[in-house]
Amino acid sequence: MPDHVLITGGAGFIGSRLARRFFDAGHTVAVLDALIDQVHGPDPETTSPLLRSLDGIATVKRGTVTSTADLRDALTGATIVVHLAAETGTGQSMYEIDRYVDANVGGTAKLLDLLTNEPHSVRRMVIASSRSIYGEGAYATEDGRTVYPDHRRDEDMAAGDFDVHMPGEGPISMIPTAEDAKLHPSSVYGITKQMQESLIMMVGPAIGVEPVSLRYQNVYGPGQSLKNPYTGILSIFSTLIRQGKEINIFEDGLESRDFVYIDDVVEATFRAATVPQAAGGTFNVGSGVATTVMDVVAALFAAFGTKVPTRVSGNYRLGDIRHNVADTTALREVLEFEPSTSFGDGVSQFVEWVLSEPVEGDTYERSLKEMASRNLLK
Protein backbone atom coordinates (compact mmCIF):
# COMPACT_ATOMS: atom_id res chain seq x y z
CA MET A 1 0.00 0.00 0.00
CA PRO A 2 1.61 3.32 -1.03
CA ASP A 3 2.20 5.83 1.73
CA HIS A 4 2.11 9.61 1.78
CA VAL A 5 5.53 10.55 3.13
CA LEU A 6 6.40 13.94 4.61
CA ILE A 7 10.13 14.67 4.85
CA THR A 8 10.95 17.72 6.94
CA GLY A 9 14.22 19.19 5.74
CA GLY A 10 13.60 17.12 2.63
CA ALA A 11 15.46 19.42 0.23
CA GLY A 12 18.75 18.80 2.03
CA PHE A 13 21.60 16.41 1.38
CA ILE A 14 19.93 13.33 2.86
CA GLY A 15 16.31 14.35 2.36
CA SER A 16 16.49 14.96 -1.39
CA ARG A 17 17.94 11.50 -2.03
CA LEU A 18 15.49 9.92 0.39
CA ALA A 19 12.61 11.58 -1.48
CA ARG A 20 13.80 9.90 -4.68
CA ARG A 21 13.98 6.53 -2.88
CA PHE A 22 10.38 6.82 -1.68
CA PHE A 23 9.19 8.04 -5.07
CA ASP A 24 10.88 5.16 -6.88
CA ALA A 25 9.14 2.76 -4.48
CA GLY A 26 5.74 4.16 -5.49
CA HIS A 27 5.03 6.46 -2.55
CA THR A 28 3.76 10.05 -2.64
CA VAL A 29 6.32 12.49 -1.24
CA ALA A 30 5.92 15.94 0.30
CA VAL A 31 8.81 18.10 1.51
CA LEU A 32 8.87 20.92 4.04
CA ASP A 33 12.13 22.86 3.97
CA ALA A 34 13.22 26.34 5.04
CA LEU A 35 15.75 26.45 2.15
CA ILE A 36 18.27 28.41 4.20
CA ASP A 37 21.10 30.27 2.47
CA GLN A 38 23.79 28.33 4.34
CA VAL A 39 22.72 25.16 2.50
CA HIS A 40 20.89 26.27 -0.63
CA GLY A 41 22.35 29.66 -1.52
CA PRO A 42 20.58 33.02 -1.77
CA ASP A 43 18.18 32.02 -4.57
CA PRO A 44 17.37 28.32 -4.10
CA GLU A 45 15.45 27.99 -7.36
CA THR A 46 18.67 28.71 -9.25
CA THR A 47 21.45 28.08 -6.71
CA SER A 48 20.34 24.75 -5.19
CA PRO A 49 20.82 21.56 -7.25
CA LEU A 50 19.33 19.65 -4.32
CA LEU A 51 16.07 21.57 -4.64
CA ARG A 52 15.99 21.14 -8.42
CA SER A 53 16.50 17.39 -7.99
CA LEU A 54 13.03 17.22 -6.40
CA ASP A 55 11.28 18.39 -9.58
CA GLY A 56 8.69 15.76 -10.47
CA ILE A 57 9.58 13.78 -7.34
CA ALA A 58 7.99 15.65 -4.46
CA THR A 59 5.67 18.49 -3.63
CA VAL A 60 7.88 21.11 -2.00
CA LYS A 61 6.62 23.66 0.52
CA ARG A 62 9.01 26.37 1.63
CA GLY A 63 8.44 26.72 5.34
CA THR A 64 9.86 25.99 8.74
CA VAL A 65 9.19 23.50 11.51
CA THR A 66 9.14 26.43 13.92
CA SER A 67 5.84 27.54 12.33
CA THR A 68 2.71 25.71 13.45
CA ALA A 69 0.88 26.84 10.30
CA ASP A 70 3.61 25.49 8.01
CA LEU A 71 3.66 22.17 9.85
CA ARG A 72 -0.11 21.84 9.85
CA ASP A 73 -0.25 22.37 6.09
CA ALA A 74 2.62 19.97 5.40
CA LEU A 75 1.12 17.19 7.54
CA THR A 76 -2.08 17.02 5.49
CA GLY A 77 -2.52 13.42 4.36
CA ALA A 78 0.85 12.22 5.68
CA THR A 79 1.07 8.63 6.89
CA ILE A 80 4.84 8.59 7.45
CA VAL A 81 6.95 11.48 8.70
CA VAL A 82 10.74 11.50 8.41
CA HIS A 83 11.92 14.37 10.59
CA LEU A 84 15.27 15.55 9.21
CA ALA A 85 14.83 19.30 9.66
CA ALA A 86 17.50 20.58 12.05
CA GLU A 87 20.40 22.95 12.46
CA THR A 88 23.43 20.70 12.19
CA GLY A 89 26.78 22.40 12.97
CA THR A 90 28.36 21.09 16.15
CA GLY A 91 30.76 24.02 16.44
CA GLN A 92 28.21 26.64 15.42
CA SER A 93 25.75 25.29 17.98
CA MET A 94 28.08 26.39 20.75
CA TYR A 95 27.50 30.08 19.99
CA GLU A 96 24.13 30.13 18.19
CA ILE A 97 22.40 28.39 21.04
CA ASP A 98 18.96 29.97 20.75
CA ARG A 99 18.70 29.21 17.02
CA TYR A 100 19.69 25.57 17.47
CA VAL A 101 17.36 24.95 20.39
CA ASP A 102 14.48 26.78 18.68
CA ALA A 103 14.77 24.82 15.41
CA ASN A 104 15.68 21.40 16.76
CA VAL A 105 13.81 21.17 20.05
CA GLY A 106 11.11 23.78 19.44
CA GLY A 107 10.34 22.49 15.96
CA THR A 108 10.03 18.91 17.22
CA ALA A 109 7.79 20.05 20.07
CA LYS A 110 5.49 21.88 17.63
CA LEU A 111 5.30 18.83 15.41
CA LEU A 112 4.35 16.55 18.30
CA ASP A 113 1.93 19.12 19.71
CA LEU A 114 0.01 19.16 16.42
CA LEU A 115 -0.09 15.37 16.23
CA THR A 116 -1.29 15.18 19.83
CA ASN A 117 -4.03 17.78 19.60
CA GLU A 118 -5.32 17.69 16.02
CA PRO A 119 -6.62 14.93 13.72
CA HIS A 120 -3.96 13.32 11.53
CA SER A 121 -3.17 10.15 9.59
CA VAL A 122 0.46 9.65 10.68
CA ARG A 123 1.27 6.11 11.77
CA ARG A 124 5.10 6.20 11.88
CA MET A 125 7.69 8.89 12.54
CA VAL A 126 11.42 8.53 11.98
CA ILE A 127 13.71 10.99 13.76
CA ALA A 128 17.20 11.73 12.48
CA SER A 129 19.18 11.61 15.70
CA SER A 130 22.96 11.71 15.91
CA ARG A 131 26.04 9.94 17.24
CA SER A 132 26.74 13.25 19.03
CA ILE A 133 24.37 12.25 21.84
CA TYR A 134 26.92 9.67 23.04
CA GLY A 135 29.57 12.25 23.86
CA GLU A 136 32.89 10.42 23.97
CA GLY A 137 31.10 7.09 23.61
CA ALA A 138 32.19 3.68 24.85
CA TYR A 139 35.67 2.62 25.99
CA ALA A 140 37.12 -0.59 27.41
CA THR A 141 39.31 -0.74 30.50
CA GLU A 142 42.41 -2.92 30.72
CA ASP A 143 40.37 -5.64 32.43
CA GLY A 144 37.61 -5.57 29.80
CA ARG A 145 34.93 -3.45 31.46
CA THR A 146 32.92 -0.98 29.37
CA VAL A 147 33.04 2.61 30.63
CA TYR A 148 31.75 5.95 29.40
CA PRO A 149 34.31 8.71 30.02
CA ASP A 150 33.40 12.32 30.63
CA HIS A 151 34.31 15.05 28.17
CA ARG A 152 37.97 15.89 27.68
CA ARG A 153 39.35 18.76 29.73
CA ASP A 154 40.42 22.03 28.18
CA GLU A 155 43.61 22.10 30.23
CA ASP A 156 44.65 18.61 29.04
CA MET A 157 44.13 19.47 25.39
CA ALA A 158 45.94 22.79 25.83
CA ALA A 159 48.92 20.74 26.98
CA GLY A 160 48.73 18.56 23.88
CA ASP A 161 47.04 15.57 25.56
CA PHE A 162 44.07 14.79 23.32
CA ASP A 163 43.37 11.29 24.56
CA VAL A 164 40.35 10.31 26.62
CA HIS A 165 40.95 9.50 30.28
CA MET A 166 38.88 8.13 33.10
CA PRO A 167 39.78 8.88 36.73
CA GLY A 168 40.84 5.78 38.64
CA GLU A 169 41.53 3.76 35.49
CA GLY A 170 44.66 2.99 33.53
CA PRO A 171 44.75 3.27 29.75
CA ILE A 172 41.35 2.86 28.11
CA SER A 173 40.60 1.96 24.49
CA MET A 174 37.78 3.10 22.24
CA ILE A 175 35.24 0.38 21.33
CA PRO A 176 32.10 0.48 19.17
CA THR A 177 29.29 2.36 20.89
CA ALA A 178 25.97 0.51 21.08
CA GLU A 179 22.50 2.01 21.38
CA ASP A 180 22.26 1.25 25.11
CA ALA A 181 25.33 3.38 25.87
CA LYS A 182 25.27 6.28 28.29
CA LEU A 183 23.96 9.46 26.67
CA HIS A 184 25.99 12.53 27.62
CA PRO A 185 26.44 14.90 24.67
CA SER A 186 29.35 17.34 24.68
CA SER A 187 27.82 20.08 22.50
CA VAL A 188 24.63 22.11 22.29
CA TYR A 189 23.88 20.34 19.01
CA GLY A 190 24.17 16.97 20.73
CA ILE A 191 21.87 18.07 23.53
CA THR A 192 19.22 19.18 21.04
CA LYS A 193 19.42 15.86 19.17
CA GLN A 194 19.00 13.94 22.41
CA MET A 195 15.95 16.03 23.25
CA GLN A 196 14.46 15.56 19.77
CA GLU A 197 14.88 11.81 20.04
CA SER A 198 13.55 11.63 23.60
CA LEU A 199 10.45 13.64 22.76
CA ILE A 200 9.51 11.53 19.75
CA MET A 201 10.29 8.18 21.35
CA MET A 202 8.22 9.08 24.43
CA VAL A 203 5.27 10.92 22.89
CA GLY A 204 4.88 8.74 19.79
CA PRO A 205 3.48 5.60 21.46
CA ALA A 206 1.18 7.70 23.63
CA ILE A 207 -0.56 9.12 20.55
CA GLY A 208 -0.53 5.96 18.41
CA VAL A 209 2.46 6.88 16.27
CA GLU A 210 5.27 4.33 15.87
CA PRO A 211 8.58 6.09 16.61
CA VAL A 212 11.94 5.10 15.15
CA SER A 213 15.22 6.80 16.00
CA LEU A 214 18.26 6.71 13.72
CA ARG A 215 21.55 7.82 15.21
CA TYR A 216 23.44 8.92 12.13
CA GLN A 217 27.21 8.83 12.21
CA ASN A 218 29.27 11.08 9.85
CA VAL A 219 27.32 11.07 6.59
CA TYR A 220 29.16 12.00 3.39
CA GLY A 221 28.86 11.70 -0.37
CA PRO A 222 27.90 13.48 -3.61
CA GLY A 223 25.47 16.34 -3.01
CA GLN A 224 26.95 17.32 0.35
CA SER A 225 27.15 21.08 0.68
CA LEU A 226 30.50 22.52 -0.36
CA LYS A 227 29.42 25.99 0.79
CA ASN A 228 28.44 25.20 4.36
CA PRO A 229 31.55 25.31 6.60
CA TYR A 230 29.80 23.18 9.22
CA THR A 231 28.99 20.27 6.95
CA GLY A 232 32.06 18.07 7.62
CA ILE A 233 35.75 17.70 6.94
CA LEU A 234 35.42 15.89 3.61
CA SER A 235 33.74 18.91 2.05
CA ILE A 236 36.00 21.39 3.87
CA PHE A 237 39.23 19.62 2.92
CA SER A 238 38.08 19.09 -0.67
CA THR A 239 37.50 22.81 -1.11
CA LEU A 240 40.92 23.60 0.36
CA ILE A 241 42.58 21.09 -1.98
CA ARG A 242 40.91 22.62 -5.01
CA GLN A 243 41.98 26.07 -3.88
CA GLY A 244 45.54 24.89 -3.36
CA LYS A 245 45.44 25.97 0.27
CA GLU A 246 47.02 24.41 3.32
CA ILE A 247 44.97 21.96 5.38
CA ASN A 248 45.12 22.66 9.10
CA ILE A 249 44.72 19.30 10.85
CA PHE A 250 43.35 19.77 14.35
CA GLU A 251 44.65 17.97 17.44
CA ASP A 252 47.23 15.37 16.33
CA GLY A 253 45.30 14.05 13.33
CA LEU A 254 44.60 10.73 15.01
CA GLU A 255 41.06 11.59 16.09
CA SER A 256 38.60 9.31 14.30
CA ARG A 257 35.04 9.18 13.05
CA ASP A 258 32.65 6.63 11.57
CA PHE A 259 32.04 7.80 7.99
CA VAL A 260 28.95 6.35 6.30
CA TYR A 261 28.08 6.86 2.64
CA ILE A 262 24.92 8.70 1.66
CA ASP A 263 23.37 5.81 -0.31
CA ASP A 264 23.70 3.53 2.71
CA VAL A 265 22.10 6.15 4.96
CA VAL A 266 19.19 6.60 2.56
CA GLU A 267 18.51 2.87 2.38
CA ALA A 268 18.69 2.47 6.16
CA THR A 269 16.27 5.37 6.59
CA PHE A 270 13.88 3.98 3.99
CA ARG A 271 13.82 0.65 5.80
CA ALA A 272 13.32 2.34 9.17
CA ALA A 273 10.26 4.08 7.76
CA THR A 274 8.72 1.07 6.05
CA VAL A 275 9.56 -2.29 7.61
CA PRO A 276 7.29 -3.45 10.45
CA GLN A 277 10.09 -4.63 12.75
CA ALA A 278 11.57 -1.13 12.97
CA ALA A 279 8.68 0.21 15.05
CA GLY A 280 9.84 1.54 18.40
CA GLY A 281 13.50 0.87 17.64
CA THR A 282 16.68 2.90 17.97
CA PHE A 283 19.46 2.20 15.48
CA ASN A 284 22.99 3.40 14.88
CA VAL A 285 23.49 4.15 11.19
CA GLY A 286 27.18 3.91 10.43
CA SER A 287 29.82 1.82 8.74
CA GLY A 288 31.19 0.34 11.95
CA VAL A 289 34.69 1.43 10.90
CA ALA A 290 36.75 4.18 12.57
CA THR A 291 38.72 6.41 10.17
CA THR A 292 41.25 8.96 11.41
CA VAL A 293 41.57 12.50 10.07
CA MET A 294 45.02 11.60 8.71
CA ASP A 295 43.39 8.73 6.82
CA VAL A 296 40.80 11.15 5.42
CA VAL A 297 43.52 13.46 4.11
CA ALA A 298 45.40 10.56 2.50
CA ALA A 299 42.23 9.25 0.84
CA LEU A 300 41.36 12.68 -0.55
CA PHE A 301 44.89 13.23 -1.89
CA ALA A 302 44.71 9.83 -3.63
CA ALA A 303 41.28 10.52 -5.12
CA PHE A 304 42.18 14.03 -6.32
CA GLY A 305 45.56 12.88 -7.59
CA THR A 306 47.21 15.88 -5.99
CA LYS A 307 48.39 17.15 -2.62
CA VAL A 308 48.46 20.45 -0.76
CA PRO A 309 50.53 21.36 2.30
CA THR A 310 49.26 20.01 5.60
CA ARG A 311 49.95 21.19 9.12
CA VAL A 312 49.16 19.25 12.28
CA SER A 313 48.53 22.31 14.41
CA GLY A 314 47.32 21.04 17.76
CA ASN A 315 44.31 23.36 17.48
CA TYR A 316 41.14 21.97 19.02
CA ARG A 317 37.49 22.88 19.37
CA LEU A 318 35.59 22.70 22.63
CA GLY A 319 32.69 20.28 22.22
CA ASP A 320 34.50 17.96 19.81
CA ILE A 321 34.93 14.31 20.72
CA ARG A 322 38.10 12.25 20.26
CA HIS A 323 36.89 9.06 18.61
CA ASN A 324 33.68 7.52 17.38
CA VAL A 325 32.64 4.23 15.84
CA ALA A 326 29.18 2.70 15.86
CA ASP A 327 28.09 -0.74 16.91
CA THR A 328 25.84 -1.65 13.97
CA THR A 329 24.53 -4.96 15.31
CA ALA A 330 20.91 -3.75 15.59
CA LEU A 331 21.02 -2.28 12.08
CA ARG A 332 22.05 -5.68 10.71
CA GLU A 333 19.87 -7.90 12.88
CA VAL A 334 16.63 -5.89 13.10
CA LEU A 335 16.58 -3.79 9.94
CA GLU A 336 18.44 -6.55 8.06
CA PHE A 337 20.68 -3.96 6.44
CA GLU A 338 24.44 -3.55 6.32
CA PRO A 339 26.17 -0.57 4.71
CA SER A 340 28.14 -1.77 1.69
CA THR A 341 30.17 1.24 0.49
CA SER A 342 33.76 1.23 1.72
CA PHE A 343 35.37 4.53 2.68
CA GLY A 344 37.79 4.32 -0.24
CA ASP A 345 35.04 3.74 -2.79
CA GLY A 346 32.84 6.39 -1.22
CA VAL A 347 35.60 9.02 -1.29
CA SER A 348 36.32 8.24 -4.95
CA GLN A 349 32.67 8.79 -5.85
CA PHE A 350 32.53 11.91 -3.72
CA VAL A 351 35.61 13.45 -5.33
CA GLU A 352 34.38 12.61 -8.82
CA TRP A 353 31.28 14.65 -8.03
CA VAL A 354 33.23 17.47 -6.37
CA LEU A 355 35.30 17.92 -9.53
CA SER A 356 32.12 18.55 -11.50
CA GLU A 357 31.12 21.38 -9.15
CA PRO A 358 32.38 24.99 -9.12
CA VAL A 359 35.12 25.85 -6.64
CA GLU A 360 33.40 27.49 -3.69
CA GLY A 361 34.52 30.58 -1.78
CA ASP A 362 36.31 30.22 1.51
CA THR A 363 33.71 30.37 4.28
CA TYR A 364 35.61 27.92 6.45
CA GLU A 365 38.16 30.47 7.67
CA ARG A 366 35.34 32.80 8.66
CA SER A 367 33.71 30.05 10.71
CA LEU A 368 36.99 29.40 12.53
CA LYS A 369 37.38 33.08 13.35
CA GLU A 370 33.84 33.13 14.72
CA MET A 371 34.68 30.23 17.06
CA ALA A 372 38.06 31.64 18.07
CA SER A 373 36.51 34.99 18.94
CA ARG A 374 34.28 33.19 21.43
CA ASN A 375 37.15 31.14 22.93
CA LEU A 376 35.72 27.90 21.49
CA LEU A 377 38.64 27.24 19.14
CA LYS A 378 42.02 26.99 20.84
Side-chain angles (χ1 to χ4, degrees):
M1 179 77 66
D3 277 293
H4 181 116
V5 183
L6 168 63
I7 308 175
T8 69
F13 171 44
I14 299 172
S16 57
R17 289 206 174 204
L18 183 61
R20 165 66 73 174
R21 179 67 178 89
F22 277 112
F23 177 81
D24 288 345
H27 303 288
T28 300
V29 184
V31 162
L32 176 67
D33 200 294
L35 302 177
I36 62 173
D37 288 2
Q38 186 167 292
V39 176
H40 297 280
D43 181 15
E45 294 292 342
T46 58
T47 57
S48 177
L50 295 176
L51 177 60
R52 294 197 300 272
S53 74
L54 295 173
D55 290 347
I57 301 299
T59 301
V60 179
K61 174 181 175 58
R62 185 169 190 170
T64 172
V65 292
T66 60
S67 164
T68 299
D70 290 346
L71 279 170
R72 180 182 290 115
D73 184 46
L75 281 166
T76 303
T79 54
I80 293 174
V81 175
V82 181
H83 188 33
L84 302 178
E87 300 291 350
T88 58
T90 300
Q92 190 180 48
S93 76
M94 299 294 284
Y95 59 90
E96 294 199 18
I97 299 166
D98 182 62
R99 181 160 74 93
Y100 273 70
V101 173
D102 184 43
N104 298 1
V105 182
T108 302
K110 279 186 168 59
L111 175 59
L112 290 171
D113 194 80
L114 276 171
L115 294 177
T116 300
N117 294 294
E118 298 185 10
H120 65 85
S121 51
V122 176
R123 61 176 181 80
R124 179 169 294 188
M125 181 181 298
V126 179
I127 175 63
S129 187
S130 167
R131 56 91 186 159
S132 64
I133 71 176
Y134 294 125
E136 291 293 348
Y139 279 71
T141 63
E142 290 181 294
D143 59 1
R145 289 174 291 114
T146 298
V147 294
Y148 303 101
D150 287 334
H151 316 312
R152 295 178 293 169
R153 301 192 310 162
D154 188 2
E155 51 265 44
D156 290 337
M157 293 190 286
D161 179 5
F162 302 112
D163 288 330
V164 175
H165 304 285
M166 187 137 188
E169 300 288 350
I172 56 176
S173 303
M174 184 265 294
I175 59 176
T177 301
E179 290 86 352
D180 61 355
K182 177 181 177 180
L183 305 183
H184 59 146
S186 59
S187 66
V188 172
Y189 170 71
I191 291 170
T192 67
K193 298 309 288 185
Q194 181 181 356
M195 292 182 72
Q196 279 189 299
E197 177 183 312
S198 297
L199 284 167
I200 285 175
M201 299 303 288
M202 187 272 289
V203 174
I207 60 173
V209 174
E210 299 170 342
V212 185
S213 178
L214 299 181
R215 295 174 180 168
Y216 292 153
Q217 310 300 302
N218 290 68
V219 186
Y220 75 99
Q224 190 167 20
S225 176
L226 300 174
K227 298 186 287 288
N228 185 352
Y230 305 99
T231 196
I233 62 171
L234 281 157
S235 291
I236 292 167
F237 288 176
S238 293
T239 297
L240 293 173
I241 291 170
R242 297 187 75 193
Q243 294 172 336
K245 294 183 176 180
E246 177 187 77
I247 294 176
N248 176 0
I249 298 172
F250 287 3
E251 302 190 13
D252 57 5
L254 300 181
E255 60 273 28
S256 64
R257 298 293 184 268
D258 185 332
F259 293 94
V260 57
Y261 192 66
I262 180 62
D263 291 352
D264 290 324
V265 171
V266 166
E267 189 58 31
T269 306
F270 177 80
R271 292 188 62 79
T274 57
V275 300
Q277 64 267 29
T282 298
F283 306 94
N284 287 329
V285 179
S287 67
V289 177
T291 302
T292 69
V293 173
M294 297 297 282
D295 290 336
V296 170
V297 172
L300 287 172
F301 284 171
F304 277 107
T306 190
K307 295 182 179 181
V308 297
T310 60
R311 176 170 56 95
V312 180
S313 65
N315 291 142
Y316 59 93
R317 298 188 311 180
L318 298 182
D320 275 355
I321 62 168
R322 178 62 171 171
H323 297 299
N324 177 71
V325 65
D327 183 328
T328 58
T329 302
L331 187 69
R332 295 194 309 272
E333 294 183 352
V334 181
L335 292 190
E336 299 177 350
F337 177 73
E338 186 164 6
S340 59
T341 306
S342 70
F343 185 67
D345 289 345
V347 168
S348 294
Q349 294 176 61
F350 173 68
V351 168
E352 182 180 358
W353 168 77
V354 169
L355 290 171
S356 70
E357 295 293 303
V359 179
E360 295 294 341
D362 191 358
T363 58
Y364 178 55
E365 285 299 323
R366 186 177 71 242
S367 73
L368 295 183
K369 290 177 181 176
E370 289 177 351
M371 294 197 68
S373 70
R374 294 164 173 85
N375 207 35
L376 296 170
L377 172 64
K378 305 295 183 77

